[in-house]
Amino acid sequence: MFLLVSGHDRPGGGFAAGLVAGMAYVLRYIAGGRRELAAGLPMRPQGLLAIGLLVAAGTATLPLLWGAPILQTFAGTADLPVFGR
């Protein structure tokens, strides 16, 4: 989470966080096998993929409700206790 939040506005932040999270599952598979990996997943991979696709489609089309073009971005700032501005 730290890599994702701290590197959000810098190049490679989300990508690096995804790599670290993916490697955690790879190491769990190597250490414990298929059953150990399945025990560590919060849900079935198909459900996770479906939720990801719904979030991506919703994020792309949500600006249409306010009359903005598809994939219109929104920027905001917030002060987080641990991470800063």
Side-chain angles (χ1 to χ4, degrees), residues 17-46:
L19 286 177
V20 170
M23 286 307 298
Y25 282 112
V26 169
L27 285 174
R28 190 163 184 164
Y29 175 74
I30 291 171
R34 186 181 206 178
R35 294 183 202 274
E36 180 67 26
L37 178 64
L41 290 173
M43 61 177 41
R44 295 177 52 175
Q46 295 87 349

